[in-house]
Amino acid sequence: MNEFDLIARYFTREAPNADLGVGDDCALLSVPAGMQLAVSADMLVSGRHFFPDADPYRLGHKALAVNLSDLAAMGAVPRWFTLSLALPQADEAWLAPFSRGLLELAEQHGLSLVGGDTTCGPLTIAIQIAGELPRGSGLLRSAGQAGDDVWVSGELGAAAAAVMHGTGRIRLGDAARLAAFARLDCPTPRVALGQRLRGIAHAALDISDGLAGDLRHICAASGCAAELWLAALPAAACLAELPMALRHEALLSGGDDYELCFTAPPARRAVLQALATELRLPLTRVGCLRAGQGVHVLHDGQDIRWQHGGFDHFAAQ
């Protein structure tokens, strides 16, 4: 199977929301008047972002989900994506479930695959994604305001627990291990939530590298400090099997949650609680923005001076 057979068999699909999809040197896309494009890109590298023996169906899902999460954080409606794929070999037993996991999630969100590239090399998955939203309505990291509440969606820490188990730092029981790896391998991008937060939230981002580290980006861009209340953080059930120090690490610095962290004025609390009920998705108030700099983690009213950052792609291997 050569490169063009591979593309035709596994990745060529109709793109009804594109003027021209896969097959030419470029895709052709139209954006309605009054809308802006939201564009993001993410790369997943074997051994760095996923375990080399990761299930290919789940990996296809995750590769697209982490990009959808970026659109969710901006409040955008998903529209198109491209896929660039480096493969050690054209293994049909791997490609079939990988493409199925990828394209099933794309179909759920009305996304069209409109191009990309394939080559031979160490397993690397690179996706560029584009969505659209009304001009000026994006949820910017720079829009946080002192006095805002800080919220997170869902639960935190399960994916970090899976990584700890996979690298031998801890040993989870069977039920906790299955739950943790399901969150690591199959994150749920909060696309519907992101769109509903337009006009409610001020600033937002997705939690990919750890809550404390990611929230620092909102603080830096908005010129504020943040308080995080450790006892308020919504912990995944599997964290009960971790020692307290590792539980805190998973909650504050663990990556791969792909939940949304956002800020909103206190006057919006009732609206957000109603939205949580409507979407059947927990939304938890975990802190606030205030004057100052940096992220301050409070436990029993005391700043515990949490110094650990989030995931660093260039940290020692």
Side-chain angles (χ1 to χ4, degrees):
M1 184 171 54
N2 64 34
E3 176 184 1
F4 304 103
D5 293 334
L6 185 159
I7 293 170
R9 182 177 303 180
Y10 295 109
F11 301 109
T12 300
R13 301 290 187 275
E14 290 187 10
N17 61 354
D19 299 324
L20 183 66
V22 174
D24 277 69
D25 291 309
C26 295
L28 298 177
L29 313 172
S30 295
V31 182
M35 303 294 281
Q36 285 181 298
L37 274 180
V39 181
S40 185
D42 265 304
M43 182 185 301
L44 300 182
V45 179
S46 179
R48 190 60 171 161
H49 299 97
F50 57 90
F51 292 107
D53 62 351
D55 175 80
Y57 177 89
R58 287 184 162 191
L59 186 56
H61 172 102
K62 180 171 184 174
L64 187 56
V66 303
N67 285 270
L68 280 164
S69 187
D70 285 333
L71 292 188
M74 187 60 68
V77 178
R79 296 282 282 164
W80 311 281
F81 74 105
T82 64
L83 169 70
S84 294
L85 192 59
L87 297 166
Q89 58 185 356
D91 180 359
E92 296 184 56
W94 187 91
L95 281 162
F98 173 83
S99 62
R100 192 168 66 252
L102 179 91
L103 295 174
E104 285 180 4
L105 185 60
E107 184 176 358
Q108 290 174 27
H109 291 280
L111 266 172
S112 292
L113 176 58
V114 296
D117 194 18
T118 58
T119 189
C120 184
L123 181 56
T124 304
I125 307 155
I127 288 178
Q128 185 176 63
I129 197 167
E132 57 189 23
L133 69 167
R135 183 172 298 278
S137 67
L139 301 171
L140 307 184
R141 295 179 179 185
S142 58
Q145 299 178 19
D148 278 358
D149 295 325
V150 176
W151 297 77
V152 296
S153 65
E155 297 176 339
L156 304 179
V163 173
M164 291 176 184
H165 179 97
T167 55
R169 294 182 65 191
I170 60 170
R171 186 59 51 188
L172 294 170
D174 289 345
R177 174 179 55 81
L178 290 173
F181 274 91
R183 289 297 307 273
L184 175 67
D185 295 340
C186 292
T188 300
R190 303 303 185 184
V191 175
L193 172 62
Q195 293 169 33
R196 296 294 297 275
L197 288 177
R198 295 197 310 250
I200 298 174
H202 285 154
L205 46 64
D206 74 329
I207 305 170
S208 56
D209 296 328
L211 173 61
D214 285 333
L215 184 55
R216 287 191 179 101
H217 300 312
I218 287 180
C219 292
S222 298
C224 296
E227 290 183 4
L228 277 179
W229 308 322
L230 186 58
L233 300 184
C238 63
L239 297 193
E241 298 192 9
L242 273 61
M244 189 62 68
L246 292 184
R247 191 181 310 174
H248 292 167
E249 180 183 335
L251 285 169
L252 292 165
S253 298
D256 282 302
D257 282 316
Y258 297 104
E259 296 291 349
L260 295 188
C261 173
F262 58 94
T263 78
R268 294 293 193 170
R269 289 174 187 171
V271 172
L272 288 165
Q273 289 163 355
L275 181 59
T277 300
E278 179 185 341
L279 296 179
R280 298 182 180 179
L281 173 64
L283 300 178
T284 306
R285 188 161 54 95
V286 297
C288 63
L289 297 185
R290 59 173 174 78
Q293 296 180 333
V295 173
H296 304 268
V297 179
L298 302 186
H299 186 51
D300 292 332
Q302 301 297 313
D303 189 338
I304 65 172
R305 300 189 181 278
W306 186 261
Q307 299 299 320
H308 302 284
F311 179 77
D312 183 351
H313 293 82
F314 291 96
Q317 300 288 321

